[in-house]
Amino acid sequence: MQRVEALIERLTAAGWLTQNRVRAALHDVPRHVFAPPVAWTGDGERVSKEADPEGWLDLVYGDDAIITQLDDGTTDLTTGAGRFTSSLSASSTVVSLLELLDVEPGHRVLDVGTGTGWTAALLSRLVGSANVTSVEVDPAVSAQASANLKSAGQAPRLIVGDGAHGWAQEAPYDRVHATCAVARVPYAWVGQTRPGGVIATPYAPGFGSSHELRLVVMPDGTAVGRFTGYASYMMMRAQRHPDWDASDRHGDRSTTDIDPRTIGYAPAGADLAMGAALPGVCARGAHDGAAYTLRLWSADAWAEAHYEPGRDSFDVEQGGDRPLWDLAVSAYFDWIAHRSPGRDRFGLTVSPAGDRVWLDHPGDIA
């Protein structure tokens, strides 16, 4: 199919696609089989397969995520109004994680987040359907994936359940692959993977950037790895970050000489350092014309810092049990003092006690 070839050429030219076996899987598992009849990227462009089949194929074989569910299925997808809760992931991000996984024929793979089934089908093509177990929390999503996979001629084992618990019945696995982001890597994934096995997952602790993470399971029952790039995925349902509470709040007011955009626009390495210093804290920025507001929040505290053009100082309000703005600023300048290390210098260790971010070496604390 010409569009498949064109997609493969684009992914190869951009450096996403380097492995011949992944290239062959893309040939054999066409993406359009897993796309909904109304394709929509979330940016307003919406194309009906029935009304415009060529335009629909063009969109499906682009490199955008296609939205497949709104509000956990409670909102009609065709309305386009609601929270994105499932998608046919962008081809480049799918390929990137598959290449990090580095599977071989016969590897036993746990796939967390079946979604449309496309990644489960690609994995089935790579290692054999009998070796793939794919877990999906939403029964309706799993049922549609089952139909899609049947149309594609692939038959991995499909489980309806919480992927945070893995699927112990088929353990041990050689590889664990996640199509949803996690704020904390479930230790069940580590416990169900044999030593030397690989876990590839999007990692989104909440503070700014989301990251691509590759872990290797060690003989001592921990998993150790590094952040390899950017990865934007929807959160695992069990680990979704709380929304910002817009209700009236009254905290301590102050001013700062530090432009809130310094924190809000910080690069990925700084986000990892600040997130490690402030576990459980979310950070998001929002523009209102030329003005900018950075919001920080957690279960026990919150902060807002406002930038306005022409101001020599900036307003800050924070409340709760911790001064989140002050702590974020301190963590940011500590990152500066460490010579502003990039994302590729940070890593993560997962143990029964939880996750620990480190800088350069697993024994060092970020």
Side-chain angles (χ1 to χ4, degrees):
M1 183 179 179
Q2 188 175 358
R3 287 184 178 85
V4 175
E5 288 291 344
L7 175 62
I8 288 172
E9 287 179 8
R10 290 196 302 274
L11 294 173
T12 302
W16 296 107
L17 182 57
T18 65
Q19 297 177 4
N20 286 333
R21 56 184 179 271
V22 176
R23 187 175 290 109
L26 290 172
H27 271 293
D28 295 344
V29 185
R31 191 172 188 244
H32 69 268
V33 174
F34 300 88
V38 176
W40 174 48
T41 66
D43 294 326
E45 186 176 7
R46 193 175 287 101
V47 182
S48 166
K49 179 180 180 181
E50 181 179 0
D52 183 5
E54 293 301 311
W56 181 82
L57 284 169
D58 287 342
L59 189 61
V60 169
Y61 282 98
D63 190 26
D64 290 304
I66 305 296
I67 307 304
T68 57
Q69 189 191 67
L70 297 171
D71 299 322
D72 296 333
T74 62
T75 299
D76 181 356
L77 179 64
T78 61
T79 66
R83 181 179 188 174
F84 306 157
T85 52
S86 192
S87 71
L88 173 58
S89 300
S91 302
S92 58
T93 54
V94 168
V95 166
S96 183
L97 281 173
L98 285 178
E99 295 211 346
L100 277 184
L101 209 60
D102 199 24
V103 294
E104 297 289 348
H107 271 160
R108 296 163 64 88
V109 181
L110 173 65
D111 177 50
V112 178
T114 311
T116 66
W118 187 42
T119 304
L122 292 167
L123 286 166
S124 296
R125 170 63 178 78
L126 289 164
V127 303
S129 289
N131 295 311
V132 177
T133 299
S134 188
V135 182
E136 170 58 51
V137 70
D138 190 310
V141 171
S142 184
Q144 182 60 57
S146 178
N148 295 343
L149 285 158
K150 184 177 181 180
S151 297
Q154 301 293 338
R157 182 179 295 102
L158 299 184
I159 304 297
V160 176
D162 184 351
H165 302 309
W167 188 250
Q169 288 88 326
E170 298 299 324
Y173 300 101
D174 299 285
R175 300 290 187 267
V176 176
H177 172 275
T179 65
C180 53
V182 294
R184 302 167 302 283
V185 177
Y187 186 73
W189 298 358
V190 180
Q192 293 173 23
T193 303
R194 69 176 76 252
V198 174
I199 299 170
T201 183
Y203 183 79
F207 206 107
S209 304
S210 298
H211 316 273
E212 196 176 62
L213 173 65
R214 184 183 192 271
L215 299 164
V216 176
V217 175
M218 308 297 284
D220 65 359
T222 65
V224 179
R226 289 185 178 272
F227 301 100
T228 59
Y230 174 75
S232 179
Y233 276 76
M234 296 171 191
M235 294 298 299
M236 174 181 281
R237 288 194 188 182
Q239 295 192 18
R240 283 176 178 164
H241 300 299
D243 293 329
W244 169 261
D245 183 358
S247 61
D248 289 339
R249 287 172 160 173
H250 301 285
D252 296 327
R253 296 175 181 270
S254 61
T255 59
T256 179
D257 292 335
I258 299 167
D259 186 332
R261 296 173 299 178
T262 300
I263 307 300
Y265 292 0
D271 284 343
L272 279 166
M274 290 185 285
L278 294 168
V281 175
C282 296
R284 298 289 184 273
H287 288 275
D288 182 6
Y292 174 83
T293 298
L294 177 67
R295 290 170 174 157
L296 310 172
W297 72 97
S298 65
D300 62 349
W302 60 275
E304 282 191 304
H306 303 280
Y307 162 83
E308 293 184 14
R311 294 279 303 273
D312 293 327
S313 62
F314 310 100
D315 296 328
V316 174
E317 187 174 5
Q318 51 190 338
D321 296 340
R322 294 183 288 168
L324 293 186
W325 167 257
D326 298 339
L327 292 171
V329 167
S330 176
Y332 173 80
F333 284 104
D334 186 53
W335 173 77
I336 293 289
H338 280 83
R339 300 184 180 181
S340 307
R343 171 164 41 204
D344 60 343
R345 288 181 56 192
F346 287 89
L348 188 79
T349 296
V350 184
S351 72
D355 296 353
R356 182 172 59 82
V357 176
W358 42 265
L359 176 64
D360 291 331
H361 303 288
D364 299 334
I365 298 175

PDB file of all heavy atoms in Angstrom, residues 4-31:
ATOM      1  N   VAL A   4       1.321   3.205   3.309  1.00  0.00           N
ATOM      2  CA  VAL A   4       2.171   2.522   4.284  1.00  0.00           C
ATOM      3  C   VAL A   4       3.638   2.772   3.959  1.00  0.00           C
ATOM      4  O   VAL A   4       4.448   3.094   4.845  1.00  0.00           O
ATOM      5  CB  VAL A   4       1.864   1.012   4.299  1.00  0.00           C
ATOM      6  CG1 VAL A   4       2.834   0.294   5.238  1.00  0.00           C
ATOM      7  CG2 VAL A   4       0.434   0.753   4.722  1.00  0.00           C
ATOM      8  N   GLU A   5       3.997   2.649   2.688  1.00  0.00           N
ATOM      9  CA  GLU A   5       5.374   2.900   2.268  1.00  0.00           C
ATOM     10  C   GLU A   5       5.798   4.329   2.581  1.00  0.00           C
ATOM     11  O   GLU A   5       6.913   4.583   3.049  1.00  0.00           O
ATOM     12  CB  GLU A   5       5.524   2.631   0.770  1.00  0.00           C
ATOM     13  CG  GLU A   5       5.479   1.167   0.392  1.00  0.00           C
ATOM     14  CD  GLU A   5       6.703   0.408   0.871  1.00  0.00           C
ATOM     15  OE1 GLU A   5       7.700   1.058   1.228  1.00  0.00           O
ATOM     16  OE2 GLU A   5       6.645  -0.832   0.912  1.00  0.00           O
ATOM     17  N   ALA A   6       4.884   5.271   2.319  1.00  0.00           N
ATOM     18  CA  ALA A   6       5.206   6.675   2.570  1.00  0.00           C
ATOM     19  C   ALA A   6       5.415   6.920   4.065  1.00  0.00           C
ATOM     20  O   ALA A   6       6.329   7.662   4.465  1.00  0.00           O
ATOM     21  CB  ALA A   6       4.097   7.569   2.029  1.00  0.00           C
ATOM     22  N   LEU A   7       4.566   6.300   4.898  1.00  0.00           N
ATOM     23  CA  LEU A   7       4.729   6.451   6.341  1.00  0.00           C
ATOM     24  C   LEU A   7       6.062   5.873   6.796  1.00  0.00           C
ATOM     25  O   LEU A   7       6.791   6.505   7.576  1.00  0.00           O
ATOM     26  CB  LEU A   7       3.573   5.754   7.066  1.00  0.00           C
ATOM     27  CG  LEU A   7       3.657   5.723   8.599  1.00  0.00           C
ATOM     28  CD1 LEU A   7       3.655   7.134   9.170  1.00  0.00           C
ATOM     29  CD2 LEU A   7       2.515   4.888   9.184  1.00  0.00           C
ATOM     30  N   ILE A   8       6.406   4.700   6.309  1.00  0.00           N
ATOM     31  CA  ILE A   8       7.670   4.061   6.670  1.00  0.00           C
ATOM     32  C   ILE A   8       8.850   4.927   6.244  1.00  0.00           C
ATOM     33  O   ILE A   8       9.822   5.094   7.000  1.00  0.00           O
ATOM     34  CB  ILE A   8       7.741   2.652   6.060  1.00  0.00           C
ATOM     35  CG1 ILE A   8       6.776   1.718   6.801  1.00  0.00           C
ATOM     36  CG2 ILE A   8       9.158   2.104   6.103  1.00  0.00           C
ATOM     37  CD1 ILE A   8       6.618   0.365   6.171  1.00  0.00           C
ATOM     38  N   GLU A   9       8.771   5.500   5.064  1.00  0.00           N
ATOM     39  CA  GLU A   9       9.847   6.377   4.592  1.00  0.00           C
ATOM     40  C   GLU A   9       9.996   7.600   5.492  1.00  0.00           C
ATOM     41  O   GLU A   9      11.113   8.013   5.815  1.00  0.00           O
ATOM     42  CB  GLU A   9       9.567   6.805   3.155  1.00  0.00           C
ATOM     43  CG  GLU A   9       9.767   5.696   2.127  1.00  0.00           C
ATOM     44  CD  GLU A   9       9.456   6.161   0.718  1.00  0.00           C
ATOM     45  OE1 GLU A   9       9.242   7.388   0.528  1.00  0.00           O
ATOM     46  OE2 GLU A   9       9.429   5.313  -0.192  1.00  0.00           O
ATOM     47  N   ARG A  10       8.869   8.193   5.904  1.00  0.00           N
ATOM     48  CA  ARG A  10       8.938   9.369   6.778  1.00  0.00           C
ATOM     49  C   ARG A  10       9.532   9.005   8.141  1.00  0.00           C
ATOM     50  O   ARG A  10      10.358   9.741   8.681  1.00  0.00           O
ATOM     51  CB  ARG A  10       7.546   9.975   6.962  1.00  0.00           C
ATOM     52  CG  ARG A  10       6.979  10.643   5.719  1.00  0.00           C
ATOM     53  CD  ARG A  10       5.811  11.552   6.061  1.00  0.00           C
ATOM     54  NE  ARG A  10       4.730  10.852   6.726  1.00  0.00           N
ATOM     55  CZ  ARG A  10       3.746  10.202   6.106  1.00  0.00           C
ATOM     56  NH1 ARG A  10       3.732  10.153   4.779  1.00  0.00           N
ATOM     57  NH2 ARG A  10       2.788   9.611   6.796  1.00  0.00           N
ATOM     58  N   LEU A  11       9.089   7.875   8.704  1.00  0.00           N
ATOM     59  CA  LEU A  11       9.601   7.461  10.008  1.00  0.00           C
ATOM     60  C   LEU A  11      11.090   7.137   9.936  1.00  0.00           C
ATOM     61  O   LEU A  11      11.848   7.438  10.867  1.00  0.00           O
ATOM     62  CB  LEU A  11       8.820   6.250  10.511  1.00  0.00           C
ATOM     63  CG  LEU A  11       7.338   6.482  10.840  1.00  0.00           C
ATOM     64  CD1 LEU A  11       6.641   5.166  11.158  1.00  0.00           C
ATOM     65  CD2 LEU A  11       7.184   7.459  12.004  1.00  0.00           C
ATOM     66  N   THR A  12      11.515   6.547   8.835  1.00  0.00           N
ATOM     67  CA  THR A  12      12.929   6.227   8.646  1.00  0.00           C
ATOM     68  C   THR A  12      13.762   7.492   8.494  1.00  0.00           C
ATOM     69  O   THR A  12      14.816   7.654   9.125  1.00  0.00           O
ATOM     70  CB  THR A  12      13.110   5.320   7.426  1.00  0.00           C
ATOM     71  OG1 THR A  12      12.351   4.114   7.593  1.00  0.00           O
ATOM     72  CG2 THR A  12      14.574   4.958   7.228  1.00  0.00           C
ATOM     73  N   ALA A  13      13.285   8.419   7.672  1.00  0.00           N
ATOM     74  CA  ALA A  13      14.018   9.670   7.440  1.00  0.00           C
ATOM     75  C   ALA A  13      14.148  10.491   8.713  1.00  0.00           C
ATOM     76  O   ALA A  13      15.157  11.168   8.930  1.00  0.00           O
ATOM     77  CB  ALA A  13      13.316  10.483   6.356  1.00  0.00           C
ATOM     78  N   ALA A  14      13.137  10.409   9.584  1.00  0.00           N
ATOM     79  CA  ALA A  14      13.155  11.176  10.830  1.00  0.00           C
ATOM     80  C   ALA A  14      13.977  10.494  11.920  1.00  0.00           C
ATOM     81  O   ALA A  14      14.183  11.067  12.996  1.00  0.00           O
ATOM     82  CB  ALA A  14      11.729  11.396  11.324  1.00  0.00           C
ATOM     83  N   GLY A  15      14.438   9.265  11.663  1.00  0.00           N
ATOM     84  CA  GLY A  15      15.259   8.559  12.632  1.00  0.00           C
ATOM     85  C   GLY A  15      14.498   7.725  13.637  1.00  0.00           C
ATOM     86  O   GLY A  15      15.105   7.085  14.509  1.00  0.00           O
ATOM     87  N   TRP A  16      13.175   7.683  13.522  1.00  0.00           N
ATOM     88  CA  TRP A  16      12.376   6.876  14.458  1.00  0.00           C
ATOM     89  C   TRP A  16      12.513   5.386  14.160  1.00  0.00           C
ATOM     90  O   TRP A  16      12.561   4.567  15.065  1.00  0.00           O
ATOM     91  CB  TRP A  16      10.894   7.255  14.379  1.00  0.00           C
ATOM     92  CG  TRP A  16      10.576   8.640  14.790  1.00  0.00           C
ATOM     93  CD1 TRP A  16      10.226   9.689  13.982  1.00  0.00           C
ATOM     94  CD2 TRP A  16      10.551   9.165  16.119  1.00  0.00           C
ATOM     95  NE1 TRP A  16       9.999  10.826  14.721  1.00  0.00           N
ATOM     96  CE2 TRP A  16      10.193  10.526  16.040  1.00  0.00           C
ATOM     97  CE3 TRP A  16      10.811   8.610  17.370  1.00  0.00           C
ATOM     98  CZ2 TRP A  16      10.077  11.342  17.159  1.00  0.00           C
ATOM     99  CZ3 TRP A  16      10.691   9.421  18.494  1.00  0.00           C
ATOM    100  CH2 TRP A  16      10.337  10.761  18.379  1.00  0.00           C
ATOM    101  N   LEU A  17      12.551   5.056  12.881  1.00  0.00           N
ATOM    102  CA  LEU A  17      12.486   3.663  12.449  1.00  0.00           C
ATOM    103  C   LEU A  17      13.847   3.208  11.952  1.00  0.00           C
ATOM    104  O   LEU A  17      14.332   3.683  10.917  1.00  0.00           O
ATOM    105  CB  LEU A  17      11.430   3.521  11.345  1.00  0.00           C
ATOM    106  CG  LEU A  17      11.172   2.124  10.782  1.00  0.00           C
ATOM    107  CD1 LEU A  17      10.781   1.139  11.869  1.00  0.00           C
ATOM    108  CD2 LEU A  17      10.082   2.193   9.709  1.00  0.00           C
ATOM    109  N   THR A  18      14.477   2.284  12.697  1.00  0.00           N
ATOM    110  CA  THR A  18      15.816   1.813  12.330  1.00  0.00           C
ATOM    111  C   THR A  18      15.894   0.295  12.231  1.00  0.00           C
ATOM    112  O   THR A  18      16.851  -0.223  11.653  1.00  0.00           O
ATOM    113  CB  THR A  18      16.860   2.289  13.357  1.00  0.00           C
ATOM    114  OG1 THR A  18      16.600   1.677  14.622  1.00  0.00           O
ATOM    115  CG2 THR A  18      16.835   3.808  13.514  1.00  0.00           C
ATOM    116  N   GLN A  19      14.947  -0.425  12.795  1.00  0.00           N
ATOM    117  CA  GLN A  19      15.022  -1.882  12.856  1.00  0.00           C
ATOM    118  C   GLN A  19      14.195  -2.508  11.736  1.00  0.00           C
ATOM    119  O   GLN A  19      13.000  -2.211  11.594  1.00  0.00           O
ATOM    120  CB  GLN A  19      14.533  -2.386  14.215  1.00  0.00           C
ATOM    121  CG  GLN A  19      15.389  -1.921  15.388  1.00  0.00           C
ATOM    122  CD  GLN A  19      14.843  -2.371  16.727  1.00  0.00           C
ATOM    123  OE1 GLN A  19      13.860  -3.105  16.816  1.00  0.00           O
ATOM    124  NE2 GLN A  19      15.484  -1.929  17.802  1.00  0.00           N
ATOM    125  N   ASN A  20      14.814  -3.387  10.982  1.00  0.00           N
ATOM    126  CA  ASN A  20      14.129  -4.008   9.849  1.00  0.00           C
ATOM    127  C   ASN A  20      12.913  -4.819  10.273  1.00  0.00           C
ATOM    128  O   ASN A  20      11.906  -4.859   9.566  1.00  0.00           O
ATOM    129  CB  ASN A  20      15.098  -4.899   9.069  1.00  0.00           C
ATOM    130  CG  ASN A  20      16.093  -4.092   8.248  1.00  0.00           C
ATOM    131  OD1 ASN A  20      15.802  -2.958   7.849  1.00  0.00           O
ATOM    132  ND2 ASN A  20      17.264  -4.660   8.003  1.00  0.00           N
ATOM    133  N   ARG A  21      12.993  -5.474  11.424  1.00  0.00           N
ATOM    134  CA  ARG A  21      11.843  -6.285  11.836  1.00  0.00           C
ATOM    135  C   ARG A  21      10.643  -5.420  12.209  1.00  0.00           C
ATOM    136  O   ARG A  21       9.496  -5.827  12.000  1.00  0.00           O
ATOM    137  CB  ARG A  21      12.219  -7.226  12.984  1.00  0.00           C
ATOM    138  CG  ARG A  21      12.791  -6.574  14.223  1.00  0.00           C
ATOM    139  CD  ARG A  21      13.203  -7.661  15.226  1.00  0.00           C
ATOM    140  NE  ARG A  21      13.774  -7.123  16.442  1.00  0.00           N
ATOM    141  CZ  ARG A  21      15.055  -6.869  16.608  1.00  0.00           C
ATOM    142  NH1 ARG A  21      15.901  -7.093  15.615  1.00  0.00           N
ATOM    143  NH2 ARG A  21      15.509  -6.402  17.750  1.00  0.00           N
ATOM    144  N   VAL A  22      10.884  -4.220  12.755  1.00  0.00           N
ATOM    145  CA  VAL A  22       9.772  -3.307  13.033  1.00  0.00           C
ATOM    146  C   VAL A  22       9.212  -2.765  11.720  1.00  0.00           C
ATOM    147  O   VAL A  22       7.998  -2.636  11.546  1.00  0.00           O
ATOM    148  CB  VAL A  22      10.230  -2.160  13.961  1.00  0.00           C
ATOM    149  CG1 VAL A  22       9.096  -1.157  14.167  1.00  0.00           C
ATOM    150  CG2 VAL A  22      10.690  -2.723  15.310  1.00  0.00           C
ATOM    151  N   ARG A  23      10.100  -2.492  10.780  1.00  0.00           N
ATOM    152  CA  ARG A  23       9.664  -2.044   9.447  1.00  0.00           C
ATOM    153  C   ARG A  23       8.759  -3.099   8.801  1.00  0.00           C
ATOM    154  O   ARG A  23       7.709  -2.781   8.242  1.00  0.00           O
ATOM    155  CB  ARG A  23      10.898  -1.760   8.590  1.00  0.00           C
ATOM    156  CG  ARG A  23      10.583  -1.131   7.234  1.00  0.00           C
ATOM    157  CD  ARG A  23      11.861  -0.779   6.496  1.00  0.00           C
ATOM    158  NE  ARG A  23      12.560   0.335   7.119  1.00  0.00           N
ATOM    159  CZ  ARG A  23      13.703   0.247   7.782  1.00  0.00           C
ATOM    160  NH1 ARG A  23      14.283  -0.936   7.936  1.00  0.00           N
ATOM    161  NH2 ARG A  23      14.265   1.313   8.301  1.00  0.00           N
ATOM    162  N   ALA A  24       9.141  -4.373   8.903  1.00  0.00           N
ATOM    163  CA  ALA A  24       8.335  -5.451   8.322  1.00  0.00           C
ATOM    164  C   ALA A  24       6.986  -5.554   9.017  1.00  0.00           C
ATOM    165  O   ALA A  24       5.949  -5.803   8.368  1.00  0.00           O
ATOM    166  CB  ALA A  24       9.091  -6.774   8.428  1.00  0.00           C
ATOM    167  N   ALA A  25       6.961  -5.351  10.333  1.00  0.00           N
ATOM    168  CA  ALA A  25       5.689  -5.406  11.068  1.00  0.00           C
ATOM    169  C   ALA A  25       4.751  -4.292  10.626  1.00  0.00           C
ATOM    170  O   ALA A  25       3.531  -4.502  10.495  1.00  0.00           O
ATOM    171  CB  ALA A  25       5.957  -5.315  12.568  1.00  0.00           C
ATOM    172  N   LEU A  26       5.284  -3.104  10.384  1.00  0.00           N
ATOM    173  CA  LEU A  26       4.445  -2.003   9.898  1.00  0.00           C
ATOM    174  C   LEU A  26       3.848  -2.339   8.531  1.00  0.00           C
ATOM    175  O   LEU A  26       2.703  -1.963   8.234  1.00  0.00           O
ATOM    176  CB  LEU A  26       5.263  -0.716   9.810  1.00  0.00           C
ATOM    177  CG  LEU A  26       5.685  -0.085  11.134  1.00  0.00           C
ATOM    178  CD1 LEU A  26       6.640   1.073  10.885  1.00  0.00           C
ATOM    179  CD2 LEU A  26       4.476   0.399  11.931  1.00  0.00           C
ATOM    180  N   HIS A  27       4.592  -3.034   7.703  1.00  0.00           N
ATOM    181  CA  HIS A  27       4.074  -3.485   6.404  1.00  0.00           C
ATOM    182  C   HIS A  27       2.904  -4.448   6.584  1.00  0.00           C
ATOM    183  O   HIS A  27       1.897  -4.373   5.887  1.00  0.00           O
ATOM    184  CB  HIS A  27       5.175  -4.205   5.618  1.00  0.00           C
ATOM    185  CG  HIS A  27       5.997  -3.304   4.752  1.00  0.00           C
ATOM    186  ND1 HIS A  27       5.487  -2.659   3.646  1.00  0.00           N
ATOM    187  CD2 HIS A  27       7.307  -2.943   4.838  1.00  0.00           C
ATOM    188  CE1 HIS A  27       6.444  -1.941   3.082  1.00  0.00           C
ATOM    189  NE2 HIS A  27       7.560  -2.086   3.784  1.00  0.00           N
ATOM    190  N   ASP A  28       3.058  -5.362   7.532  1.00  0.00           N
ATOM    191  CA  ASP A  28       2.128  -6.473   7.642  1.00  0.00           C
ATOM    192  C   ASP A  28       0.903  -6.176   8.498  1.00  0.00           C
ATOM    193  O   ASP A  28      -0.070  -6.935   8.473  1.00  0.00           O
ATOM    194  CB  ASP A  28       2.847  -7.693   8.220  1.00  0.00           C
ATOM    195  CG  ASP A  28       3.923  -8.216   7.285  1.00  0.00           C
ATOM    196  OD1 ASP A  28       3.913  -7.850   6.095  1.00  0.00           O
ATOM    197  OD2 ASP A  28       4.780  -8.984   7.757  1.00  0.00           O
ATOM    198  N   VAL A  29       0.961  -5.100   9.294  1.00  0.00           N
ATOM    199  CA  VAL A  29      -0.148  -4.764  10.206  1.00  0.00           C
ATOM    200  C   VAL A  29      -0.614  -3.347   9.881  1.00  0.00           C
ATOM    201  O   VAL A  29      -0.187  -2.381  10.511  1.00  0.00           O
ATOM    202  CB  VAL A  29       0.295  -4.873  11.678  1.00  0.00           C
ATOM    203  CG1 VAL A  29      -0.901  -4.631  12.598  1.00  0.00           C
ATOM    204  CG2 VAL A  29       0.907  -6.243  11.968  1.00  0.00           C
ATOM    205  N   PRO A  30      -1.468  -3.180   8.891  1.00  0.00           N
ATOM    206  CA  PRO A  30      -1.868  -1.841   8.443  1.00  0.00           C
ATOM    207  C   PRO A  30      -2.608  -1.052   9.522  1.00  0.00           C
ATOM    208  O   PRO A  30      -3.490  -1.579  10.205  1.00  0.00           O
ATOM    209  CB  PRO A  30      -2.777  -2.125   7.240  1.00  0.00           C
ATOM    210  CG  PRO A  30      -3.239  -3.531   7.422  1.00  0.00           C
ATOM    211  CD  PRO A  30      -2.125  -4.246   8.117  1.00  0.00           C
ATOM    212  N   ARG A  31      -2.235   0.211   9.673  1.00  0.00           N
ATOM    213  CA  ARG A  31      -2.783   1.043  10.737  1.00  0.00           C
ATOM    214  C   ARG A  31      -4.271   1.323  10.552  1.00  0.00           C
ATOM    215  O   ARG A  31      -5.010   1.461  11.536  1.00  0.00           O
ATOM    216  CB  ARG A  31      -1.994   2.365  10.790  1.00  0.00           C
ATOM    217  CG  ARG A  31      -2.265   3.227  12.024  1.00  0.00           C
ATOM    218  CD  ARG A  31      -1.307   4.403  12.073  1.00  0.00           C
ATOM    219  NE  ARG A  31      -1.392   5.151  13.318  1.00  0.00           N
ATOM    220  CZ  ARG A  31      -1.791   6.413  13.419  1.00  0.00           C
ATOM    221  NH1 ARG A  31      -2.132   7.080  12.329  1.00  0.00           N
ATOM    222  NH2 ARG A  31      -1.839   7.019  14.588  1.00  0.00           N
TER     223      ARG A  31
END
